[in-house]
Amino acid sequence: MFYESIGAQLSRASEALASDDPTRALDERDQRERRQITTLVRRIGAIWPDLFSALNEESAILDATRRDALETARAHGLEVSGDTAEAASAAIADPLARYRQLLCEVDELVILLHTRGDEDWAEQALRNLRRGLADAAEVQGRLVDAMLAA
């Protein structure tokens, strides 16, 4: 996941810096690693002010997409079960865990709708799901663009 990977990358960068011996001369590989860490930290710093609002925006898009697909599935007699039917994501306070659950719920709806994919309403619901996923991906795309511009 995009948002979780940022923390993992920062953690690896800090480990590399912590293990660095300042008395040792840097060879070409070490210099390249240092430049990469510097670039990574600069890019993450560039998006940091927008990172959490982007996560919230993307989650809102996914939630609306999930709700619409769920309503359509129910309106056409599809039985929705488990976390998807009850929107387990709504009860999760941790934004990253909620985001992850929303993705699972949307994925389950995609699978469910494909069981009736030969019907026009299901095809339209799947198109709407893809549009919602594309809108959510656009939010991440803006962050990536900002990172690469830094």
Side-chain angles (χ1 to χ4, degrees):
M1 285 194 5
F2 176 76
Y3 298 100
E4 289 176 338
S5 71
I6 291 173
Q9 290 175 19
L10 280 175
S11 180
R12 284 192 297 275
S14 70
E15 289 168 6
L17 292 174
S19 67
D20 192 22
D21 179 359
T23 63
R24 183 179 55 119
L26 299 176
D27 62 15
E28 186 176 321
R29 181 179 177 278
D30 293 331
Q31 290 173 3
R32 184 176 57 247
E33 180 181 46
R34 177 72 54 86
R35 286 190 305 273
Q36 290 172 337
I37 290 171
T38 301
T39 300
L40 172 68
V41 173
R42 181 179 63 248
R43 288 178 173 171
I44 290 173
I47 66 163
W48 194 261
D50 300 320
L51 189 64
F52 302 102
S53 63
L55 175 60
N56 288 335
E57 180 183 357
E58 190 173 349
S59 293
I61 292 167
L62 291 171
D63 190 38
T65 300
R66 182 200 58 77
R67 271 192 322 257
D68 290 346
L70 181 60
E71 289 173 13
T72 301
R74 284 180 171 158
H76 289 87
L78 282 178
E79 187 151 335
V80 182
S81 61
D83 290 344
T84 303
E86 297 173 16
S89 57
I92 300 173
D94 178 326
L96 286 174
R98 180 172 184 268
Y99 174 79
R100 189 172 35 254
Q101 181 63 33
L102 280 166
L103 288 174
C104 290
E105 291 169 7
V106 168
D107 190 50
E108 289 172 11
L109 285 164
V110 168
I111 293 166
L112 180 66
L113 288 168
H114 271 291
T115 65
R116 303 273 291 271
D118 56 338
E119 298 180 42
D120 289 341
W121 68 267
E123 286 180 23
Q124 183 60 48
L126 287 165
R127 275 193 294 277
N128 292 343
L129 272 169
R130 284 190 293 274
R131 187 176 314 112
L133 289 169
D135 291 345
E138 188 177 309
V139 174
Q140 283 185 26
R142 287 194 315 258
L143 287 177
V144 170
D145 289 345
M147 285 178 82
L148 296 176

